Amino acid sequence: MAKKKKTTPAPRPAASDAPATLKDLLSSDVLDKLKAQSDALKAEENEKKEAARKAVEDQRKAEQKRLENDFAHLLENSSQDWHKFK
């Protein structure tokens, strides 16, 4: 087998040589406003998800209550072993 040559990694540029990022260019008050807006949007999205989940849960409960009052449904889903109730 031939020996493999080890390659030396290219030197990385120093942190001061890196291009400026958007975070570096924005002032702190603008950055704080953006973070606050982001938090508000996340909270609003969570409230919408919670409201949708609650609506689905209420709908499920209403359907269950309707089925509990339906004699045909109860008869179809009841146990057919009437001997244990004698």
Coordinates of all heavy atoms in Angstrom, one line a residue:
M1 N 0.8 -1.2 0.0 CA 0.0 0.0 0.0 C 0.9 1.2 0.0 O 1.9 1.3 0.7 CB -0.9 0.0 1.2 CG -2.0 -1.0 1.2 SD -3.1 -0.7 2.5 CE -4.4 0.2 1.7
A2 N 0.4 2.2 -0.7 CA 1.2 3.4 -0.8 C 0.9 4.3 0.4 O -0.2 4.3 1.0 CB 0.8 4.2 -2.1
K3 N 1.8 5.1 0.8 CA 1.6 5.9 2.0 C 0.8 7.1 1.5 O 1.0 7.7 0.5 CB 2.9 6.4 2.5 CG 3.7 5.3 3.2 CD 5.0 5.9 3.8 CE 5.8 4.8 4.5 NZ 7.0 5.3 5.1
K4 N -0.1 7.5 2.4 CA -1.0 8.7 2.1 C -0.3 9.9 2.6 O 0.3 9.9 3.7 CB -2.3 8.5 2.8 CG -3.1 7.4 2.2 CD -4.5 7.3 2.9 CE -5.3 6.2 2.3 NZ -6.6 6.1 3.0
K5 N -0.3 10.9 1.8 CA 0.2 12.2 2.2 C -0.8 12.9 3.1 O -2.0 13.0 2.8 CB 0.6 13.1 1.0 CG 1.7 12.5 0.2 CD 2.0 13.5 -0.9 CE 3.1 12.9 -1.8 NZ 3.4 13.8 -2.9
K6 N -0.3 13.5 4.2 CA -1.2 14.2 5.1 C -1.3 15.6 4.6 O -0.3 16.3 4.3 CB -0.7 14.2 6.5 CG -0.7 12.8 7.2 CD -0.3 12.9 8.6 CE -0.5 11.5 9.2 NZ -0.1 11.5 10.6
T7 N -2.5 16.1 4.5 CA -2.7 17.5 4.0 C -2.9 18.4 5.2 O -3.6 18.0 6.2 CB -3.9 17.6 3.1 OG1 -5.1 17.1 3.8 CG2 -3.8 16.7 1.9
T8 N -2.3 19.5 5.2 CA -2.4 20.4 6.3 C -3.6 21.3 6.0 O -3.9 21.7 4.9 CB -1.2 21.3 6.4 OG1 -1.0 22.0 5.2 CG2 0.1 20.5 6.7
P9 N -4.5 21.5 7.0 CA -5.7 22.3 6.8 C -5.3 23.8 6.5 O -4.3 24.3 7.0 CB -6.4 22.2 8.1 CG -5.4 21.8 9.2 CD -4.3 21.1 8.4
A10 N -6.1 24.4 5.7 CA -5.8 25.7 5.3 C -6.0 26.6 6.5 O -6.9 26.4 7.4 CB -6.8 26.2 4.2
P11 N -5.2 27.6 6.7 CA -5.3 28.5 7.9 C -6.6 29.2 7.8 O -7.0 29.8 6.8 CB -4.1 29.4 7.8 CG -3.7 29.4 6.4 CD -4.1 28.0 5.9
R12 N -7.3 29.3 9.0 CA -8.6 30.0 9.0 C -8.3 31.5 9.2 O -7.4 31.8 10.0 CB -9.4 29.4 10.2 CG -9.8 28.0 9.9 CD -10.8 27.5 11.0 NE -11.2 26.1 10.8 CZ -11.9 25.5 11.6 NH1 -12.3 26.0 12.7 NH2 -12.2 24.2 11.3
P13 N -9.2 32.3 8.6 CA -9.0 33.7 8.8 C -9.4 34.1 10.3 O -10.2 33.4 10.9 CB -9.9 34.4 7.9 CG -10.9 33.3 7.5 CD -10.2 32.0 7.7
A14 N -8.7 35.1 10.8 CA -9.0 35.5 12.2 C -10.4 36.1 12.2 O -11.0 36.5 11.3 CB -8.0 36.6 12.5
A15 N -10.9 36.2 13.5 CA -12.3 36.7 13.7 C -12.4 38.1 13.2 O -13.5 38.5 12.7 CB -12.6 36.5 15.1
S16 N -11.4 38.9 13.3 CA -11.5 40.3 12.9 C -11.5 40.4 11.4 O -12.0 41.4 10.9 CB -10.3 41.1 13.5 OG -9.1 40.5 13.0
D17 N -11.0 39.4 10.7 CA -11.0 39.4 9.2 C -12.4 39.0 8.7 O -12.6 39.2 7.5 CB -10.0 38.5 8.7 CG -8.6 39.0 9.0 OD1 -8.4 40.2 9.3 OD2 -7.6 38.2 8.9
A18 N -13.3 38.4 9.5 CA -14.6 37.9 9.0 C -15.4 39.1 8.6 O -15.4 40.2 9.2 CB -15.2 37.1 10.1
P19 N -16.3 38.9 7.6 CA -17.2 39.9 7.2 C -18.2 40.3 8.3 O -18.5 39.4 9.1 CB -17.8 39.4 6.0 CG -17.7 37.9 6.1 CD -16.4 37.7 6.8
A20 N -18.6 41.5 8.3 CA -19.6 41.9 9.3 C -20.9 41.2 9.1 O -21.4 41.1 7.9 CB -19.7 43.4 9.3
T21 N -21.6 40.8 10.2 CA -22.9 40.2 10.0 C -23.9 41.2 10.3 O -23.7 42.3 10.7 CB -23.0 39.0 11.1 OG1 -22.9 39.6 12.4 CG2 -22.0 38.0 10.9
L22 N -25.2 40.9 10.0 CA -26.3 41.8 10.2 C -26.4 42.1 11.6 O -26.8 43.3 12.0 CB -27.6 41.1 9.6 CG -28.8 42.0 9.6 CD1 -28.6 43.2 8.8 CD2 -30.0 41.2 9.1
K23 N -26.2 41.2 12.5 CA -26.3 41.4 13.9 C -25.3 42.5 14.4 O -25.6 43.3 15.2 CB -26.1 40.1 14.7 CG -26.2 40.3 16.2 CD -26.0 38.9 16.9 CE -26.2 39.1 18.4 NZ -26.0 37.8 19.1
D24 N -24.1 42.5 13.8 CA -23.1 43.4 14.1 C -23.5 44.8 13.6 O -23.2 45.8 14.2 CB -21.7 43.0 13.6 CG -21.2 41.7 14.1 OD1 -21.7 41.4 15.3 OD2 -20.5 41.1 13.5
L25 N -24.2 44.9 12.5 CA -24.5 46.1 11.8 C -25.7 46.8 12.5 O -25.8 48.1 12.5 CB -24.7 45.9 10.4 CG -23.5 45.4 9.5 CD1 -24.0 45.2 8.1 CD2 -22.4 46.4 9.6
L26 N -26.6 46.0 13.1 CA -27.8 46.6 13.7 C -27.5 47.2 15.0 O -26.7 46.6 15.8 CB -28.9 45.6 13.8 CG -29.6 45.1 12.5 CD1 -30.6 44.1 12.7 CD2 -30.2 46.3 11.7
S27 N -28.2 48.3 15.4 CA -28.0 48.8 16.7 C -28.7 48.0 17.7 O -29.6 47.2 17.4 CB -28.5 50.3 16.8 OG -29.9 50.3 16.5
S28 N -28.4 48.1 19.0 CA -29.0 47.3 20.0 C -30.5 47.5 20.2 O -31.2 46.6 20.5 CB -28.2 47.5 21.3 OG -28.4 48.8 21.8
D29 N -30.9 48.8 20.0 CA -32.3 49.0 20.2 C -33.2 48.4 19.1 O -34.3 47.9 19.3 CB -32.6 50.5 20.3 CG -32.2 51.3 19.1 OD1 -31.3 50.8 18.4 OD2 -32.8 52.4 18.9
V30 N -32.7 48.4 17.9 CA -33.4 47.8 16.8 C -33.4 46.2 17.0 O -34.4 45.6 16.8 CB -32.7 48.1 15.4 CG1 -33.3 47.3 14.3 CG2 -32.8 49.6 15.2
L31 N -32.3 45.7 17.5 CA -32.2 44.3 17.7 C -33.2 43.9 18.8 O -33.9 42.8 18.7 CB -30.8 43.9 18.2 CG -30.3 42.5 18.0 CD1 -30.4 42.1 16.5 CD2 -28.9 42.3 18.4
D32 N -33.3 44.7 19.9 CA -34.3 44.4 21.0 C -35.7 44.5 20.5 O -36.5 43.7 20.8 CB -34.1 45.4 22.1 CG -32.8 45.2 22.8 OD1 -32.2 44.1 22.8 OD2 -32.3 46.2 23.5
K33 N -36.0 45.4 19.6 CA -37.3 45.5 19.0 C -37.7 44.3 18.2 O -38.8 43.8 18.3 CB -37.5 46.8 18.1 CG -37.5 48.1 18.9 CD -37.7 49.3 18.0 CE -37.7 50.6 18.7 NZ -37.7 51.7 17.8
L34 N -36.7 43.8 17.4 CA -36.9 42.6 16.6 C -37.1 41.4 17.5 O -38.0 40.6 17.2 CB -35.7 42.4 15.6 CG -35.6 43.4 14.5 CD1 -34.3 43.1 13.7 CD2 -36.8 43.2 13.5
K35 N -36.4 41.3 18.6 CA -36.5 40.2 19.5 C -37.9 40.2 20.1 O -38.6 39.2 20.3 CB -35.4 40.1 20.5 CG -34.1 39.7 20.0 CD -33.1 39.6 21.0 CE -31.7 39.2 20.5 NZ -30.7 39.2 21.5
A36 N -38.3 41.4 20.5 CA -39.7 41.6 21.2 C -40.8 41.2 20.2 O -41.7 40.5 20.6 CB -39.8 43.0 21.7
Q37 N -40.6 41.6 18.9 CA -41.6 41.3 17.9 C -41.6 39.8 17.7 O -42.7 39.2 17.5 CB -41.3 42.0 16.6 CG -42.4 41.9 15.6 CD -42.0 42.7 14.3 OE1 -40.9 43.1 14.1 NE2 -43.0 42.8 13.4
S38 N -40.5 39.2 17.7 CA -40.4 37.7 17.5 C -41.1 37.0 18.6 O -41.8 36.0 18.4 CB -38.9 37.3 17.4 OG -38.8 35.9 17.3
D39 N -40.8 37.4 19.8 CA -41.5 36.8 21.0 C -43.0 37.0 20.9 O -43.7 36.1 21.3 CB -40.9 37.4 22.3 CG -39.5 37.0 22.5 OD1 -39.0 36.0 21.9 OD2 -38.8 37.7 23.3
A40 N -43.4 38.2 20.5 CA -44.9 38.4 20.4 C -45.5 37.5 19.4 O -46.6 37.0 19.6 CB -45.1 39.9 20.1
L41 N -44.9 37.3 18.3 CA -45.4 36.5 17.2 C -45.4 35.0 17.7 O -46.4 34.3 17.4 CB -44.6 36.6 15.9 CG -44.7 37.9 15.2 CD1 -43.7 38.0 14.0 CD2 -46.1 38.1 14.7
K42 N -44.4 34.6 18.4 CA -44.4 33.2 18.9 C -45.5 33.0 19.9 O -46.2 31.9 19.9 CB -43.1 32.9 19.5 CG -42.0 32.7 18.5 CD -40.6 32.4 19.2 CE -39.5 32.2 18.2 NZ -38.2 32.0 18.9
A43 N -45.8 34.0 20.8 CA -46.8 33.9 21.8 C -48.2 33.8 21.1 O -49.1 33.0 21.4 CB -46.8 35.0 22.7
E44 N -48.4 34.6 20.0 CA -49.6 34.6 19.3 C -49.9 33.3 18.6 O -51.0 32.8 18.6 CB -49.6 35.8 18.3 CG -50.9 35.9 17.5 CD -50.8 37.1 16.5 OE1 -50.1 38.0 16.7 OE2 -51.5 37.0 15.5
E45 N -48.8 32.7 18.0 CA -48.9 31.4 17.4 C -49.3 30.3 18.4 O -50.1 29.5 18.1 CB -47.6 31.1 16.7 CG -47.7 29.8 15.9 CD -46.3 29.5 15.2 OE1 -45.5 30.4 15.1 OE2 -46.2 28.3 14.8
N46 N -48.7 30.4 19.6 CA -49.0 29.4 20.6 C -50.4 29.6 21.0 O -51.1 28.5 21.3 CB -48.1 29.6 21.8 CG -46.7 29.1 21.5 OD1 -46.5 28.2 20.6 ND2 -45.7 29.5 22.2
E47 N -50.9 30.8 21.1 CA -52.3 31.0 21.5 C -53.3 30.4 20.5 O -54.3 29.8 20.8 CB -52.6 32.5 21.7 CG -52.0 33.1 23.0 CD -52.2 34.6 23.1 OE1 -52.9 35.2 22.2 OE2 -51.6 35.2 24.0
K48 N -52.9 30.6 19.2 CA -53.8 30.1 18.1 C -53.8 28.6 18.2 O -54.8 27.9 18.0 CB -53.3 30.5 16.8 CG -53.6 32.0 16.4 CD -53.1 32.3 15.1 CE -53.4 33.8 14.7 NZ -52.9 34.2 13.4
K49 N -52.6 27.9 18.4 CA -52.5 26.5 18.5 C -53.4 26.0 19.7 O -54.1 25.0 19.6 CB -51.1 26.0 18.6 CG -50.3 26.1 17.4 CD -48.9 25.6 17.6 CE -48.0 25.7 16.3 NZ -46.7 25.2 16.5
E50 N -53.3 26.7 20.8 CA -54.0 26.3 22.0 C -55.5 26.4 21.7 O -56.3 25.5 22.1 CB -53.6 27.1 23.2 CG -54.3 26.7 24.5 CD -53.9 25.4 25.0 OE1 -52.8 24.9 24.6 OE2 -54.7 24.8 25.7
A51 N -55.9 27.5 21.1 CA -57.4 27.7 20.8 C -57.9 26.6 19.8 O -59.0 26.1 20.0 CB -57.6 29.1 20.2
A52 N -57.1 26.2 18.8 CA -57.5 25.2 17.9 C -57.5 23.8 18.6 O -58.5 23.1 18.4 CB -56.5 25.1 16.7
R53 N -56.6 23.6 19.5 CA -56.6 22.3 20.3 C -57.9 22.2 21.2 O -58.5 21.2 21.2 CB -55.4 22.2 21.1 CG -55.3 20.8 21.8 CD -54.2 20.9 22.9 NE -54.5 21.8 24.0 CZ -55.4 21.6 25.0 NH1 -56.1 20.5 25.0 NH2 -55.7 22.5 25.9
K54 N -58.2 23.4 21.8 CA -59.4 23.4 22.7 C -60.6 23.2 21.9 O -61.6 22.6 22.3 CB -59.4 24.7 23.4 CG -60.5 24.8 24.4 CD -60.3 26.1 25.3 CE -61.5 26.4 26.1 NZ -61.8 25.5 27.2
A55 N -60.7 23.8 20.7 CA -61.9 23.7 19.8 C -62.1 22.2 19.4 O -63.2 21.7 19.4 CB -61.8 24.6 18.6
V56 N -61.0 21.5 19.1 CA -61.1 20.1 18.7 C -61.5 19.3 19.9 O -62.4 18.4 19.8 CB -59.7 19.6 18.1 CG1 -59.7 18.1 18.0 CG2 -59.4 20.3 16.8
E57 N -61.0 19.6 21.1 CA -61.4 18.9 22.3 C -62.8 19.1 22.6 O -63.5 18.1 23.0 CB -60.5 19.3 23.4 CG -60.7 18.6 24.7 CD -60.3 17.2 24.7 OE1 -59.5 16.8 23.9 OE2 -60.8 16.4 25.6
D58 N -63.3 20.3 22.5 CA -64.7 20.6 22.8 C -65.6 19.9 21.8 O -66.7 19.3 22.1 CB -65.0 22.1 22.7 CG -64.4 22.9 23.9 OD1 -64.0 22.2 24.9 OD2 -64.2 24.1 23.8
Q59 N -65.2 19.8 20.5 CA -66.0 19.1 19.5 C -66.0 17.6 19.8 O -67.1 17.0 19.6 CB -65.4 19.4 18.1 CG -66.1 18.8 17.0 CD -65.5 19.1 15.6 OE1 -64.4 19.5 15.5 NE2 -66.2 18.8 14.5
R60 N -64.9 17.1 20.2 CA -64.9 15.7 20.5 C -65.8 15.4 21.7 O -66.5 14.4 21.7 CB -63.4 15.2 20.9 CG -63.3 13.7 21.1 CD -61.9 13.4 21.7 NE -61.7 14.0 23.0 CZ -62.2 13.5 24.1 NH1 -63.0 12.4 24.1 NH2 -61.9 14.1 25.3
K61 N -65.8 16.2 22.7 CA -66.7 16.0 23.9 C -68.1 16.1 23.5 O -69.0 15.4 24.0 CB -66.3 17.1 25.0 CG -65.1 16.8 25.7 CD -64.8 17.8 26.8 CE -63.6 17.5 27.6 NZ -63.3 18.5 28.6
A62 N -68.5 17.1 22.6 CA -69.8 17.2 22.2 C -70.3 16.0 21.4 O -71.4 15.5 21.6 CB -70.0 18.5 21.3
E63 N -69.4 15.5 20.6 CA -69.7 14.3 19.8 C -69.9 13.1 20.7 O -70.8 12.3 20.5 CB -68.6 14.0 18.8 CG -68.9 12.8 17.9 CD -70.0 12.9 17.0 OE1 -70.5 14.0 16.7 OE2 -70.5 11.8 16.5
Q64 N -69.1 13.0 21.7 CA -69.2 11.9 22.7 C -70.5 12.0 23.5 O -71.2 11.0 23.7 CB -68.0 11.9 23.7 CG -68.0 10.7 24.7 CD -67.8 9.4 24.0 OE1 -67.1 9.3 23.0 NE2 -68.3 8.4 24.6
K65 N -70.9 13.2 23.9 CA -72.1 13.3 24.6 C -73.3 13.0 23.7 O -74.3 12.4 24.2 CB -72.2 14.8 25.1 CG -73.4 15.0 26.0 CD -73.3 16.3 26.7 CE -74.4 16.5 27.7 NZ -74.2 17.6 28.6
R66 N -73.2 13.4 22.4 CA -74.3 13.1 21.5 C -74.5 11.6 21.3 O -75.6 11.0 21.3 CB -74.1 13.7 20.1 CG -75.2 13.5 19.2 CD -74.9 14.0 17.8 NE -73.9 13.2 17.1 CZ -74.1 12.0 16.6 NH1 -75.3 11.5 16.6 NH2 -73.1 11.3 16.0
L67 N -73.3 10.9 21.2 CA -73.4 9.4 21.1 C -73.8 8.7 22.3 O -74.5 7.6 22.2 CB -72.0 8.9 20.7 CG -71.5 9.2 19.2 CD1 -70.1 8.8 19.0 CD2 -72.5 8.7 18.2
E68 N -73.6 9.3 23.5 CA -74.0 8.7 24.7 C -75.6 8.7 24.8 O -76.2 7.9 25.5 CB -73.4 9.3 25.9 CG -71.9 9.0 26.1 CD -71.3 9.8 27.2 OE1 -71.9 10.7 27.8 OE2 -70.1 9.5 27.5
N69 N -76.2 9.7 24.2 CA -77.6 9.8 24.2 C -78.3 9.1 23.0 O -79.5 9.1 22.9 CB -78.0 11.3 24.2 CG -77.6 12.0 25.5 OD1 -77.6 11.3 26.5 ND2 -77.4 13.2 25.4
D70 N -77.5 8.5 22.2 CA -78.1 7.8 21.0 C -78.2 6.3 21.3 O -77.2 5.6 21.5 CB -77.1 8.0 19.8 CG -77.7 7.4 18.5 OD1 -78.9 7.1 18.5 OD2 -76.9 7.2 17.6
F71 N -79.5 5.8 21.4 CA -79.7 4.4 21.8 C -79.1 3.4 20.8 O -78.6 2.4 21.2 CB -81.2 4.2 22.0 CG -81.5 2.9 22.5 CD1 -81.3 2.5 23.9 CD2 -82.1 1.9 21.7 CE1 -81.6 1.3 24.3 CE2 -82.4 0.6 22.2 CZ -82.1 0.3 23.5
A72 N -79.2 3.7 19.6 CA -78.7 2.8 18.5 C -77.2 2.6 18.7 O -76.7 1.5 18.6 CB -79.1 3.3 17.1
H73 N -76.5 3.7 18.9 CA -75.1 3.6 19.1 C -74.7 2.8 20.4 O -73.8 2.0 20.3 CB -74.5 5.0 19.2 CG -73.0 5.1 19.5 ND1 -72.1 4.8 18.6 CD2 -72.4 5.3 20.7 CE1 -70.9 4.9 19.2 NE2 -71.0 5.2 20.5
L74 N -75.4 3.1 21.4 CA -75.2 2.3 22.7 C -75.4 0.8 22.5 O -74.7 0.0 23.0 CB -76.0 2.9 23.8 CG -75.6 4.3 24.3 CD1 -76.6 4.8 25.3 CD2 -74.2 4.3 24.8
L75 N -76.5 0.5 21.8 CA -76.8 -0.9 21.6 C -75.8 -1.6 20.7 O -75.4 -2.7 21.0 CB -78.2 -1.0 20.9 CG -78.8 -2.4 20.8 CD1 -79.0 -3.0 22.2 CD2 -80.1 -2.3 20.1
E76 N -75.3 -0.9 19.7 CA -74.3 -1.5 18.8 C -72.9 -1.7 19.5 O -72.2 -2.7 19.3 CB -74.0 -0.6 17.6 CG -75.2 -0.6 16.6 CD -75.0 0.4 15.5 OE1 -73.9 1.0 15.5 OE2 -75.9 0.6 14.7
N77 N -72.6 -0.8 20.4 CA -71.3 -0.9 21.1 C -71.3 -1.5 22.5 O -70.3 -1.5 23.2 CB -70.7 0.5 21.2 CG -70.4 1.1 19.8 OD1 -70.0 0.3 18.9 ND2 -70.6 2.3 19.6
S78 N -72.5 -2.0 22.9 CA -72.5 -2.6 24.2 C -72.1 -4.1 24.1 O -72.2 -4.7 23.1 CB -73.9 -2.5 24.8 OG -74.8 -3.2 24.0
S79 N -71.8 -4.6 25.3 CA -71.4 -6.0 25.4 C -72.7 -6.9 25.2 O -73.7 -6.5 25.8 CB -70.8 -6.3 26.7 OG -70.5 -7.7 26.8
Q80 N -72.6 -7.9 24.5 CA -73.8 -8.8 24.2 C -73.9 -9.9 25.3 O -74.8 -10.7 25.2 CB -73.7 -9.4 22.8 CG -73.6 -8.4 21.7 CD -74.9 -7.6 21.7 OE1 -76.0 -8.1 21.9 NE2 -74.8 -6.3 21.4
D81 N -73.0 -9.9 26.3 CA -73.1 -10.9 27.4 C -74.0 -10.3 28.5 O -73.6 -9.7 29.4 CB -71.7 -11.1 27.9 CG -71.7 -12.3 28.9 OD1 -72.6 -13.0 29.0 OD2 -70.7 -12.4 29.6
W82 N -75.3 -10.7 28.3 CA -76.3 -10.2 29.3 C -76.4 -11.1 30.6 O -77.0 -10.7 31.5 CB -77.7 -10.1 28.7 CG -77.7 -9.1 27.5 CD1 -77.6 -9.4 26.2 CD2 -77.7 -7.7 27.6 NE1 -77.6 -8.3 25.5 CE2 -77.7 -7.2 26.3 CE3 -77.8 -6.8 28.7 CZ2 -77.8 -5.8 26.1 CZ3 -77.9 -5.5 28.4 CH2 -77.8 -5.0 27.1
H83 N -75.7 -12.2 30.6 CA -75.8 -13.2 31.7 C -75.1 -12.6 32.9 O -75.5 -12.9 34.0 CB -75.2 -14.5 31.3 CG -75.9 -15.2 30.2 ND1 -77.2 -15.7 30.4 CD2 -75.7 -15.4 28.9 CE1 -77.6 -16.3 29.3 NE2 -76.7 -16.0 28.3
K84 N -74.1 -11.8 32.7 CA -73.4 -11.3 33.9 C -74.2 -10.2 34.6 O -73.8 -9.8 35.7 CB -72.0 -10.8 33.5 CG -71.9 -9.6 32.6 CD -70.5 -9.3 32.3 CE -70.4 -8.1 31.4 NZ -69.1 -7.8 31.0
F85 N -75.2 -9.7 34.0 CA -76.1 -8.7 34.6 C -77.3 -9.2 35.3 O -78.1 -8.5 35.8 CB -76.5 -7.6 33.6 CG -75.3 -6.9 33.1 CD1 -74.9 -7.1 31.8 CD2 -74.6 -6.0 33.9 CE1 -73.8 -6.4 31.2 CE2 -73.5 -5.3 33.3 CZ -73.1 -5.5 32.0
K86 N -77.5 -10.6 35.3 CA -78.6 -11.2 36.0 C -78.6 -11.1 37.5 O -77.6 -11.1 38.1 CB -78.7 -12.7 35.6 CG -79.3 -12.9 34.2 CD -79.5 -14.4 34.0 CE -80.3 -14.6 32.8 NZ -80.5 -16.0 32.6

